[in-house]
C-alpha cells in the first residue's frame, strides 16, 4: 500500500525506528588535500537517515531503512552494507531508470573552509521518492519515524512526501526530525529556510544545531530556537563543544514519552498532531564530552541515534542527551560515518556518572572497547 492511507503503529509493532531518506555511496579520500589533488578514494556509504538506522541497529534496536536506489551495483552495495548492520532493508525500492547517488568528499571537517563535497545525486533514484511510490505501511510500522531536512531538498516530490508524512493524522508514529540544513542542495534559494521551519514545527522531536538555526532562520540562542518551534514535544539544540540543551514539555494525549514518560508510552501512542506543548518546558543542559576527534562527519547522525536509543528505553532526559554525546564520540574517533557503538552497559555506566566525573572524561580512538570501564578513559 502506498499513499496517505497508512496503518497504525501500536505497542506490538516489531520495529522500533523506521528511517526514510537517501543513502549514497561515498568515496573517501586516501589522504588530506583538495579533491583535485587526492590520488585515490576508498568506498563507503553515507546518508543521514541510514546512518541513524545503522547506529540504532548496532546498539540493539530494531531499525529499518526505507529508501530508493538504482538497479545498479552501487545500489547493491548500499543495501548489502546497511543490512550488514542488522537494519531491515526489505522496504527499499529499486528504480530501473535512475541511478544510485554518489559523492566525493575531502578529509577535512565539514565546518571548515577547506572542506569539499562533490555530489552526483541529481536525478538519483532517491530523488524520485513521492507519496505515490513509497510503502506507507512500512513507514508507519514503527514506534518512531525518523526524517531529515535533506530529503525535502532532493526534489519537489520528496518535499511533498515529507509534508505528507509530517501531517497530522490519527495513528501517525512519533516523528523525529533532524533539520540538517544543507543549503547547497536546495533548488529555490531562500525557500529552504521556511520549508525546514515548517517541517520542524510539525514533528514531535526535533534535532537542530545552534549554528544551522542561525544560518537558516537568523535565530540566535537555544531559547530563541525553542520559541520558534513551540509545537514539538522535545527540541534538542546541539551547541557543538558547549553540549546540548533539551527543551521537553507535556503533551496532549498521544506521544507522551518524548517529554518524561517511559518506554511503554513510547511504544503505545500514535500522534494525532505534531506535539503541541502544554505547560512549562523542562530545560536540561548537558555538556559535551572532550573528544580527540579523528573526523567530524556523521557525528550529528550518531547523536540523534544515541538520543533516540535512550528515549526508546525510557531513560531520563539527561541520560538521553548523554547517550547522544557518547554515540557521537564513537563516530568522532574513527575516520568514517559509521562505527560500532560502545556496549550498552559500558555506555550506561558512563552516562550515569556524576557531573564532575562526566566533565573529566576525555575520549580518544579505541575508547569503545568492551573491556574498558569508566575509569579507563584518560583525563588530561
Amino acid at each position: 500500500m502506498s499513499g496517505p492511507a497508512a496503518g497504525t503503529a501500536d505497542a506490538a509493532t516489531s520495529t522500533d525506528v523506521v528511517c526514510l531518506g537517501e543513502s549514497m555511496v561515498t568515496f573517501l579520500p586516501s589522504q588530506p588535500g583538495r579533491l583535485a589533488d587526492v590520488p585515490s578514494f576508498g568506498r563507503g556509504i553515507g546518508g543521514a537517515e541510514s546512518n541513524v538506522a545503522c547506529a540504532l541497529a548496532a546498539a540493539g534496536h530494531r531499525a529499518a531503512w526505507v529508501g530508493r536506489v538504482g538497479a545498479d551495483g552501487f545500489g547493491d552495495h548500499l543495501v548489502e552494507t546497511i543490512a550488514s548492520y542488522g537494519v531491515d532493508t526489505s522496504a527499499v525500492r529499486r528504480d530501473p531508470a535512475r541511478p544510485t547517488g554518489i559523492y566525493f568528499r575531502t578529509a577535512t571537517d565539514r565546518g571548515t573552509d577547506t572542506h569539499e563535497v562533490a555530489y552526483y545525486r541529481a536525478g538519483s533514484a532517491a530523488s524520485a521518492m513521492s507519496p505515490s511510490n513509497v510503502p506507507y505501511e512500512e513507514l508507519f510500522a514503527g514506534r518512531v519515524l525518523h526524517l531529515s531536512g535533506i530529503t525535502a531538498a532532493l526534489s519537489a516530490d520528496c518535499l511533498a512526501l515529507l509534508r505528507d508524512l509530517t501531517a497530522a493524522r490519527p495513528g501517525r508514529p512519533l516523528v523525529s526530525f533532524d533539520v540538517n540544513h544543507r543549503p547547497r542542495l536546495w533548488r529555490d534559494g531562500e525557500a529552504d529556510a521556511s520549508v525546514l521551519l515548517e517541517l520542524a514545527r510539525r514533528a514531535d522531536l526535533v534535532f537542530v544545531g545552534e549554528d544551522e538555526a542561525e544560518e537558516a532562520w537568523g535565530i540566535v540562542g537555544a531559547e530563541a530556537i525553542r520559541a520558534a518551534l513551540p509545537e514539538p514535544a522535545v527540541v534538542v539544540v546541539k551547541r557543538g563543544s558547549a553540549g546540548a540543551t533539551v527543551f521537553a514539555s507535556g503533551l496532549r494525549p498521544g506521544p507522551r514519552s518524548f517529554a518524561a514518560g517511559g518506554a511503554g508510552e513510547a511504544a503505545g501512542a500514535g500522534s494525532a498532531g505534531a506535539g503541541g506543548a502544554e505547560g512549562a518546558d523542562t530545560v536540561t543542559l548537558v555538556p559535551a564530552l572532550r573528544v580527540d576527534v579523528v573526523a567530524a562527519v556523521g557525528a550529528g547522525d550518531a547523536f540523534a541515534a544515541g538520543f533516540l536509543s535512550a528515549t526508546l528505553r525510557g531513560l531520563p532526559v539527561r541520560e538521553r542527551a548523554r547517550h547522544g554525546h557518547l554515540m557521537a564520540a564513537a563516530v568522532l574517533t574513527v575516520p568514517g560515518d559509521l562505527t560500532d557503538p560502545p556496549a550498552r552497559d559500558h555506555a550506561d555506566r558512563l552516562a550515569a556518572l556524576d557531573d564532575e566525573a562526566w566533565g573529566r572524561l576525555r575520549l580518544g580512538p579505541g575508547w569503545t572497547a568492551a573491556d574498558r570501564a569508566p575509569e579507563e578513559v584518560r583525563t588530561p
Side-chain angles (χ1 to χ4, degrees):
M1 172 178 69
S2 295
T8 300
D10 59 32
T13 182
S14 61
T15 305
D16 292 324
V17 181
V18 178
C19 303
L20 168 80
E22 179 172 36
S23 191
M24 295 177 291
V25 172
T26 309
F27 288 94
L28 309 172
S30 58
Q31 64 185 45
R34 302 184 311 152
L35 287 178
D37 300 329
V38 175
S40 60
F41 296 81
R43 185 180 65 174
I45 67 168
E49 302 84 2
S50 60
N51 285 349
V52 171
C54 289
L56 283 167
H61 296 282
R62 299 161 300 183
W65 173 62
V66 178
R68 195 171 179 88
V69 300
D72 51 33
F74 287 148
D76 294 340
H77 176 65
L78 278 176
V79 174
E80 291 167 5
T81 303
I82 293 169
S84 73
Y85 282 84
V87 176
D88 180 356
T89 59
S90 61
V92 175
R93 299 295 189 258
R94 297 299 187 106
D95 190 324
R98 297 176 180 85
T100 303
I102 64 173
Y103 74 99
F104 297 78
R105 67 170 173 85
T106 53
T108 50
D109 183 358
R110 181 183 283 126
T112 68
D113 292 338
T114 58
H115 184 69
E116 298 175 72
V117 180
Y119 289 111
Y120 298 89
R121 72 198 308 178
S124 69
S127 70
M129 291 189 296
S130 75
S132 65
N133 65 15
V134 298
Y136 272 60
E137 67 277 18
E138 279 89 353
L139 289 174
F140 281 24
R143 298 161 67 182
V144 178
L145 173 62
H146 181 71
L147 309 168
S148 96
I150 294 173
T151 303
L154 299 181
S155 68
D157 282 343
C158 284
L159 174 55
L161 175 61
L162 268 275
R163 282 179 165 145
D164 194 50
L165 292 174
T166 57
R169 61 159 62 92
R172 190 188 81 176
L174 299 172
V175 172
S176 166
F177 182 76
D178 194 332
V179 171
N180 265 328
H181 182 228
R182 300 287 186 270
R184 289 175 54 190
L185 296 180
W186 286 85
R187 305 160 303 284
D188 300 320
E190 296 302 315
D192 61 322
S194 60
V195 166
L196 292 174
L197 187 61
E198 169 200 344
L199 294 172
R201 292 182 66 175
R202 292 153 67 113
D204 299 303
L205 165 62
V206 174
F207 299 98
V208 58
E210 201 169 38
D211 55 348
E212 65 184 349
E214 182 175 2
E215 181 182 24
W217 305 323
I219 299 172
V220 179
E223 291 77 12
I225 293 170
R226 176 50 160 166
L229 298 171
E231 295 87 355
V234 171
V235 174
V236 182
V237 180
K238 298 176 291 183
R239 304 174 60 209
S241 61
T245 300
V246 183
F247 298 87
S249 70
L251 291 174
R252 301 189 184 103
R256 300 178 299 278
S257 64
F258 273 163
E265 291 174 338
S271 174
E278 291 181 354
D281 273 332
T282 297
V283 183
T284 307
L285 284 68
V286 182
L289 292 159
R290 289 176 292 171
V291 179
D292 295 334
V293 176
V294 174
V297 178
D301 305 329
F303 181 94
F307 193 96
L308 284 170
S309 173
T311 298
L312 288 162
R313 296 169 59 202
L315 300 183
V317 169
R318 185 190 73 159
E319 277 66 33
R320 299 179 194 190
R322 283 189 169 187
H323 276 278
H325 287 316
L326 289 164
M327 195 84 84
V331 169
L332 287 168
T333 50
V334 299
D337 292 22
L338 293 168
T339 189
D340 289 333
R344 181 173 289 185
D345 59 347
H346 184 187
D348 283 345
R349 289 197 303 271
L350 294 178
L353 293 173
D354 61 39
D355 290 344
E356 183 179 356
W358 177 264
R360 291 198 305 266
L361 292 181
R362 182 167 181 173
L363 307 182
W367 76 269
T368 59
D371 58 349
R372 293 187 173 187
E375 56 271 18
E376 96 288 11
V377 185
R378 65 185 182 84
T379 56

